[in-house]
Amino acid sequence: MCFRAWIQIIMHVHIVMMMSVVPTSNLHIRRGESASLICVFQEVDKTTTIRWKSAKEGFLTSGTTIYNHINNIEVQKPTQHDWTLIIKKVDNRFAGVYTCETNTGKIISNYTLEIVDGPRINLDNSSDSQETCSEGSTHELYCHFRGNPTPTVRWYRGLKNAVDTGITGEILRLPSVSRYASDTYICEGKNFVNSRNYTIDLQVNFPVEVDVMEEVIKVQVGAVVSLVCAVEGQPIKEGYWRDPQGKTIISGWKFNVTAEKDGDFPVQYITATSQVGALLSTDFGDYTCVGEGDSNSASKVTRLVQSESASDVIN
């Protein structure tokens, strides 16, 4: 009989303890926004006072009275049973645990307030928006975002129709970089608040190379001829043709010189086209296309050969 009573007492105490446990609600509030912590108590009477306290500051309120040293908060009572704690503008000071209880110590509600921030780029620990490296080297791009929760980082390539690289993390490692890796790289920082992008333009430098469209051209005196070469390199400082006497060809009465780029790729096409009837017998010989970069120069020759008849001309 005593044993049964003892069991009943233990079960009763256990049930009471379970009923008295108040779950904690988690609030995620962005910095600078307001927070509303709701406290509803139906059993209020004339002797009951509802109080808010924080783990950091202790008691903050009694009823609707705010203690003098606490700023930026108030208690709103939409009904006689509500004591809603309003934090008007949240910052780091207000992060922590809040409890609403009666003056007899009965806990009504618990809140854990966490300050959350969307991703924002940390420029001190990230690559510059304009990066250069040399072909064949190993280069790393860095992208560090601040935020709470800590943002995840994902990398994309290309400014238009960006391609997901499938690479995550703050570092994008590019081993044995080729010239074709020159592009725009986008890192995306993301958490449940929002997402932000940071763009890095990578330029891969490589030595200048020169190629000519034709190594030998046969034409007659007075004919029109076009000397075409491609200068490829990063960066390209200059590209030009030299005549058999070693003089730089410029646009004039004998030749018209043009330079064209191939889209975004680091190549220039240098074309020297003779004017109608301007080509003399003394103009035949070796024409040299020259490309100059920061680290080197390169050249290649087109030989202009005089043809005695139209049948000898190489088209």
Side-chain angles (χ1 to χ4, degrees):
M1 191 72 178
C2 291
F3 178 75
R4 184 183 300 174
W6 179 71
I7 293 294
Q8 289 177 342
I9 291 171
I10 290 178
M11 291 180 64
H12 177 74
V13 171
H14 182 65
I15 292 171
V16 170
M17 290 178 65
M18 289 181 62
M19 292 177 63
S20 64
V21 173
V22 177
T24 299
S25 300
N26 294 317
L27 289 179
H28 300 103
I29 306 296
R30 294 186 65 174
R31 191 185 315 278
E33 295 183 349
S34 63
S36 297
L37 286 67
I38 298 172
C39 179
V40 179
F41 188 60
Q42 300 289 347
E43 303 168 21
V44 64
D45 57 32
K46 293 181 179 180
T47 64
T48 303
T49 302
I50 305 300
R51 305 181 298 186
W52 277 99
K53 68 178 180 180
S54 77
K56 289 181 180 179
E57 298 284 344
F59 286 106
L60 308 174
T61 69
S62 178
T64 58
T65 302
I66 310 298
Y67 292 121
N68 291 334
H69 68 288
I70 306 298
N71 296 318
N72 204 30
I73 67 172
E74 65 178 22
V75 173
Q76 293 182 355
K77 285 186 57 57
T79 73
Q80 65 174 352
H81 301 291
D82 293 326
W83 287 263
T84 300
L85 180 67
I86 304 295
I87 303 175
K88 300 175 185 177
K89 191 173 183 181
V90 168
D91 58 34
N92 287 342
R93 295 175 300 160
F94 295 99
V97 177
Y98 292 79
T99 302
C100 179
E101 64 179 41
T102 67
N103 56 311
T104 59
K106 181 176 181 179
I107 297 175
I108 305 169
S109 58
N110 278 322
Y111 291 90
T112 297
L113 177 60
E114 182 180 359
I115 313 302
V116 297
D117 288 303
R120 58 193 187 282
I121 191 68
N122 179 7
L123 294 176
D124 292 337
N125 294 326
S126 300
S127 297
D128 293 334
S129 59
Q130 303 286 333
E131 288 273 314
T132 60
C133 66
S134 298
E135 187 174 41
S137 66
T138 294
H139 194 72
E140 293 181 340
L141 300 178
Y142 298 89
C143 200
H144 178 68
F145 284 93
R146 291 193 179 103
N148 186 33
T150 301
T152 59
V153 180
R154 194 172 188 91
W155 291 89
Y156 299 82
R157 177 173 176 175
L159 192 57
K160 296 179 180 178
N161 300 319
V163 175
D164 186 349
T165 67
I167 298 173
T168 58
E170 295 185 348
I171 302 174
L172 177 65
R173 191 171 188 269
L174 303 171
S176 302
V177 178
S178 77
R179 63 193 62 182
Y180 305 105
S182 292
D183 210 335
T184 298
Y185 294 84
I186 302 170
C187 54
E188 178 192 49
K190 186 175 184 180
N191 61 18
F192 70 75
V193 180
N194 57 25
S195 63
R196 288 288 185 271
N197 291 342
Y198 180 65
T199 300
I200 303 170
D201 291 321
L202 178 65
Q203 175 180 297
V204 180
N205 291 340
F206 60 95
V208 165
E209 302 169 359
V210 174
D211 197 11
V212 293
M213 184 166 290
E214 297 178 87
E215 293 186 357
V216 179
I217 301 177
K218 289 185 178 182
V219 293
Q220 294 178 301
V221 171
V224 175
V225 65
S226 290
L227 308 172
V228 183
C229 72
V231 179
E232 182 179 346
Q234 186 69 272
I236 299 172
K237 293 176 64 177
E238 192 175 9
Y240 54 90
W241 280 97
R242 285 179 179 158
D243 65 17
Q245 289 73 45
K247 295 180 180 179
T248 300
I249 300 175
I250 60 175
S251 290
W253 69 273
K254 187 179 290 290
F255 286 96
N256 180 45
V257 181
T258 59
E260 296 180 1
K261 292 191 66 176
D262 183 10
D264 295 329
F265 196 74
V267 61
Q268 288 184 6
Y269 295 99
I270 314 298
T271 303
T273 304
S274 64
Q275 307 288 359
V276 176
L279 201 61
L280 307 176
S281 59
T282 55
D283 292 323
F284 293 90
D286 289 345
Y287 286 78
T288 304
C289 180
V290 180
E292 295 184 357
D294 280 347
S295 60
N296 76 311
S297 62
S299 63
K300 199 160 187 180
V301 171
T302 290
R303 176 163 292 176
L304 191 60
V305 179
Q306 184 176 347
S307 173
E308 298 299 331
S309 63
S311 61
D312 293 334
V313 175
I314 299 177
N315 295 320

